[in-house]
Amino acid sequence: YDTLFYAVQGFCITKKIKKMDKQQNRRNRMKRIISMCLSAVLLLSLCVTGAAKTKTAQAEEKQKVIVIDAGHQIRAMSATEPIGPGSSQRKAKVTGGASGCVTHLPEYKLNLQVAKKLQKELVNRGYKVIMVRTKNNVRMSNVQRAKVANKYKADAFIRIHANSAGSSSVKGALTIAPASNNRYMTKANRKASQKLSKKVLKAMCKTTGAKNRGVMYTNSMTGINWCKVPVTIVEMGFMSNPSEDRKMAKASYQKKIVKGIADGIDNFF
């Protein structure tokens, strides 16, 4: 009987051990399956995150960079600088700018008002915008301003200005671009700057109704000659003309100017 008892007991223990082994194997398989699933989820997450980062990087690479320069500043800088790289001809670093014949609004203030509105409009349109200045009390020469645009490899450099003339009857908008024989700029950049000037002027005159005075081609502008990127000077109107002076001082008209410049930039690209 003892022999039989121990034999039965041994059989039961062996069976129980085999059962426990099977359960352990099932648990191990389940752990492996769970581990594989977690690894797959992690790998998928990394792939999705990587793809998202890649798309973001690609979007940033495709995003056009616009540099805006609000012309002039509180104080002029009468010290001179070369009008172009290697030039012996020199001009004042920054002139004082015009002033409204009726509103007495200084040009440097008007330029910054419009520049800030343009910044907002262009950001809303998906552009990356760099401001040369965001306040009036700065000391920046025209060469320094051009170098900001070069530093950020601007796809377009927009220089905001207002005009003035000896006669109060002169009115209208114009843009300034390098002449075809400009020796300071590459041929490609000259052509791009001329195209930008045409597109911006046409669109701005359309939204404002201002007289289109055409593109002025010159090699005398320091802020153009030092540029390695497409550039235009936008002369929004004549502060010496009572009607245009009043218009340009109004936020509603400034918004029309801004829409026109932004439309012109869109058309340029």
Side-chain angles (χ1 to χ4, degrees):
Y1 287 107
D2 288 345
T3 302
L4 181 61
F5 171 78
Y6 287 119
V8 171
Q9 187 180 46
F11 173 77
C12 292
I13 291 172
T14 302
K15 191 173 182 181
K16 188 175 182 180
I17 290 172
K18 287 182 179 180
K19 186 177 180 181
M20 289 173 65
D21 288 342
K22 287 181 180 180
Q23 290 175 341
Q24 185 63 40
N25 289 336
R26 280 198 296 270
R27 282 195 293 269
N28 290 338
R29 282 198 299 272
M30 186 59 68
K31 286 180 180 179
R32 285 196 296 271
I33 292 171
I34 292 172
S35 178
M36 291 171 64
C37 289
L38 289 174
S39 298
V41 170
L42 179 60
L43 181 61
L44 180 62
S45 176
L46 290 172
C47 290
V48 171
T49 303
K53 287 182 178 179
T54 301
K55 287 182 178 179
T56 301
Q58 289 174 344
E60 288 178 352
E61 286 177 5
K62 292 179 181 178
Q63 191 179 32
K64 300 293 185 183
V65 177
I66 311 297
V67 175
I68 303 173
D69 173 32
H72 304 288
Q73 54 202 27
I74 289 180
R75 296 175 187 83
M77 296 170 68
S78 58
T80 62
E81 61 187 359
I83 67 165
S87 175
S88 59
Q89 186 178 349
R90 301 175 72 88
K91 286 174 64 176
K93 291 185 175 183
V94 175
T95 58
S99 183
C101 63
V102 176
T103 64
H104 305 294
L105 177 67
E107 184 190 347
Y108 67 82
K109 284 188 177 180
L110 170 63
N111 294 341
L112 187 58
Q113 288 172 5
V114 175
K116 286 182 175 180
K117 289 182 176 65
L118 180 60
Q119 176 191 24
K120 184 177 179 180
E121 178 68 21
L122 291 175
V123 169
N124 288 339
R125 295 191 184 200
Y127 292 101
K128 179 179 179 180
V129 179
I130 305 297
M131 298 289 282
V132 170
R133 70 178 179 95
T134 56
K135 57 184 181 179
N136 291 313
N137 190 18
V138 298
R139 285 183 63 80
M140 295 188 72
S141 75
N142 285 313
V143 172
Q144 288 174 314
R145 293 166 191 244
K147 286 182 176 180
V148 172
N150 295 338
K151 175 184 176 181
Y152 287 97
K153 296 180 173 59
D155 294 289
F157 182 28
I158 309 296
R159 307 190 66 215
I160 305 296
H161 283 261
N163 225 329
S164 184
S167 172
S168 61
S169 63
V170 179
K171 63 180 181 178
L174 62 90
T175 52
I176 304 176
S180 295
N181 63 346
N182 187 301
R183 66 187 180 91
Y184 305 110
M185 305 173 78
T186 65
K187 182 179 179 180
N189 196 27
R190 287 197 302 268
K191 286 188 173 182
S193 297
Q194 291 170 356
K195 178 184 175 183
L196 175 64
S197 299
K198 291 175 184 176
K199 295 292 185 181
V200 167
L201 180 62
K202 182 179 179 180
M204 186 176 69
C205 289
K206 182 179 179 181
T207 57
T208 61
K211 178 183 178 180
N212 188 330
R213 299 185 65 87
V215 178
M216 173 183 170
Y217 299 99
T218 179
N219 297 328
S220 63
M221 295 295 174
T222 307
I224 288 179
N225 296 338
W226 282 86
C227 284
K228 298 177 182 178
V229 297
V231 56
T232 186
I233 296 176
V234 181
E235 296 284 1
M236 303 177 287
F238 283 79
M239 301 189 83
S240 51
N241 179 280
S243 176
E244 288 195 335
D245 178 32
R246 291 189 186 95
K247 282 182 180 179
M248 288 189 290
K250 293 180 180 178
S252 58
Y253 190 76
Q254 291 177 6
K255 288 178 181 178
K256 291 179 181 180
I257 292 173
V258 162
K259 185 181 185 306
I261 295 174
D263 288 347
I265 292 171
D266 285 346
N267 295 337
F268 171 66
F269 294 123

